[in-house]
Amino acid sequence: MATTAHRRYAEIMHDVEELVNDHISQQKRGTQARSKLKLLVPSVGAFFTPLKLEEAFNFQDGRRRISSRRFVPPSFNDIRLTLNSAQMMSLVSSGPVQLMTFDGDVTLYDDGESLTDENPVIPRILRLLRQGICVGIVTAAGYTDAKRYYERLHGLLDAVANAVTDKEIEDPKVIILGGESNYLFEFDYSSESFLNFVPRDVWLLDEMRKWQEEDIQSLLDVAEGALNECINSMQLSAEMIRKDRAVGIIPSPGPGNHKFTREQLEETVLVTQQILELSDPGKKVPFCAFNGGNDAFVDIGDKSWGVLSCQRYLGGIDGSKTLHVGDQFLSAGANDFKARLACTTAWIASPAETVALLDEFHFHCGSQEQQ
């Protein structure tokens, strides 16, 4: 029975793989609106690479024994991990991968925590750097002070600095793009915090230079008003935080459990997003309204601009040579979702999955070298 199920599942994956290939062919001719996949899934976007879905299913079936289950059909997680494998296989086979970007919370470390010395993802990131792959952390955390990022990422930054001291890595390309797409820092061995702030005029994309400061502040004003509406309508115990490129709410400080519920956060994000989309400044300046796990924020720009900025700053890396790894890809209040516009992506659900993903990437790189 397992053999029959495996064959049928593999055939389905093969058929979907062919639909993706057809879409890519139409995409290259500028006629993607007529692809079979577009007709079946009107919301489908652009593909940066083919997807080796059949091969990826065979790989994941060997690990998760999907075909051997009698009562539990292929799950959402089965499909998500199969897509991750398919994307990595395609990237490695068409290689080399030149840039990997990561979300912070829930991707590299637990929500609200920091990247500490013992985190198992650190040696995997060092391995990427030894391979000559650039590493970017594209995070919603928006700080203008390098010391704040060092506090959150000290385990990784110390490890990279030690690798430079020991001459294991000569010129590590590590950058941090905070506030989605607003503050750029790069690794600097000579700095106390191992980070150097890069002024906006050095790395801003041409399109981003058109965003007027007056429109930015007007958008944040509208967002603040929308957030206040949500605080009042849902009687939230919340504190408003306003920054130069973001505004949001966090639980009020003090005794007692003021953690927001998931439903409250999603309602806040969707209400705020709709109000902004209908506003004048919302039509002039890109923004990202997202659920941060126990807060809700609106940032200027989004992770598509963040990843594109990383690619440009690092020498013009193509989206087909870039992989963004994150945990937020649901369309409602998920800030990794927009990264799909800039590069290939992998959807993980925990820091442990990021570690497993990087180990799998290393495995596929080894398999490719042997061929």
Side-chain angles (χ1 to χ4, degrees):
M1 189 178 76
T3 302
T4 301
H6 176 89
R7 189 188 73 250
R8 289 177 176 175
Y9 290 151
E11 287 172 352
I12 292 170
M13 289 296 178
H14 176 79
D15 290 343
V16 177
E17 185 174 330
E18 288 303 309
L19 286 173
V20 172
N21 291 337
D22 170 69
H23 185 81
I24 292 173
S25 296
Q26 299 278 6
Q27 193 174 280
K28 290 177 178 177
R29 294 195 293 267
T31 56
Q32 61 267 32
R34 296 205 296 267
S35 80
K36 296 174 185 176
L37 186 59
K38 188 74 173 178
L39 294 173
L40 292 169
V41 188
S43 61
V44 71
F47 287 86
F48 291 90
T49 69
L51 293 177
K52 296 192 172 188
L53 290 169
E54 184 177 4
E55 185 179 344
F57 172 74
N58 292 334
F59 178 80
Q60 285 294 341
D61 197 31
R63 289 186 163 194
R64 299 174 67 82
R65 303 300 174 189
I66 301 166
S67 302
S68 300
R69 301 196 301 245
R70 294 179 59 195
F71 298 106
V72 179
S75 68
F76 174 82
N77 284 330
D78 291 328
I79 301 302
R80 177 174 60 82
L81 293 172
T82 298
L83 285 167
N84 286 350
S85 293
Q87 186 59 84
M88 284 191 294
M89 288 174 175
S90 293
L91 278 170
V92 169
S93 65
S94 63
V97 177
Q98 296 177 332
L99 170 64
M100 267 201 207
T101 61
F102 299 87
D103 177 38
D105 290 72
V106 189
T107 299
L108 295 177
Y109 42 81
D110 291 329
D111 192 25
E113 300 298 321
S114 300
L115 192 48
T116 53
D117 298 341
E118 68 278 5
N119 192 310
V121 81
I122 292 174
R124 275 80 176 177
I125 292 178
L126 292 178
R127 186 168 61 200
L128 295 176
L129 294 171
R130 291 190 193 97
Q131 291 176 257
I133 298 173
C134 303
V135 171
I137 299 175
V138 183
T139 172
Y143 310 128
T144 56
D145 185 2
K147 291 182 180 178
R148 295 294 302 277
Y149 283 113
Y150 178 77
E151 291 171 2
R152 297 296 301 275
L153 305 170
H154 62 88
L156 174 62
L157 294 171
D158 288 344
V160 175
N162 290 335
V164 172
T165 300
D166 297 338
K167 298 183 179 179
E168 295 177 19
I169 304 172
E170 289 186 5
D171 184 24
K173 300 296 185 185
V174 178
I175 61 175
I176 298 166
L177 197 16
E180 313 283 358
S181 58
N182 288 293
Y183 313 102
L184 180 62
F185 293 81
E186 64 180 343
F187 178 80
D188 183 355
Y189 181 72
S190 63
S191 170
E192 182 182 357
S193 59
F194 299 124
L195 289 172
N196 179 50
F197 177 73
V198 182
R200 283 198 184 110
D201 60 1
V202 174
W203 59 269
L204 277 182
L205 301 172
D206 291 341
E207 188 65 28
M208 298 169 76
R209 297 178 192 276
K210 298 176 183 178
W211 305 346
Q212 298 298 313
E213 186 63 28
E214 180 182 353
D215 293 330
I216 289 172
Q217 296 307 318
S218 295
L219 186 143
L220 294 177
D221 289 341
V222 175
E224 187 171 344
L227 291 167
N228 272 317
E229 280 187 31
C230 294
I231 291 173
N232 295 329
S233 64
M234 290 187 283
Q235 298 292 296
L236 301 177
S237 178
E239 178 181 351
M240 188 75 66
I241 302 292
R242 177 77 178 250
K243 303 179 181 181
D244 71 322
R245 288 292 187 275
V247 63
I249 58 172
I250 62 172
S252 297
N257 181 15
H258 297 301
K259 185 174 175 64
F260 299 135
T261 65
R262 178 178 61 83
E263 292 79 8
Q264 288 172 332
L265 289 169
E266 289 188 357
E267 176 71 10
T268 299
V269 167
L270 292 172
V271 167
T272 304
Q273 182 171 302
Q274 184 181 53
I275 290 173
L276 286 172
E277 286 174 347
L278 296 173
S279 71
D280 286 337
K283 296 179 175 68
K284 298 176 182 177
V285 179
F287 66 89
C288 177
F290 67 95
N291 169 0
N294 197 30
D295 56 44
F297 267 84
V298 173
D299 281 335
I300 299 301
D302 56 49
K303 287 196 179 177
S304 68
W305 295 104
V307 174
L308 287 168
S309 297
C310 290
Q311 291 168 337
R312 177 184 179 275
Y313 185 72
L314 293 167
I317 297 173
D318 193 75
S320 64
K321 304 295 183 183
T322 305
L323 178 68
H324 177 74
V325 182
D327 68 292
Q328 293 201 26
F329 282 97
L330 292 174
S331 56
N335 62 352
D336 290 304
F337 184 75
K338 288 292 185 69
R340 300 187 315 162
L341 299 174
C343 65
T344 69
T345 56
W347 185 350
I348 55 84
S350 68
E353 277 199 9
T354 301
V355 170
L357 181 94
L358 293 177
D359 285 343
E360 184 184 334
F361 174 77
H362 183 64
F363 171 81
H364 292 316
C365 287
S367 298
Q368 181 68 21
E369 289 174 1
Q370 293 173 11
Q371 291 180 5

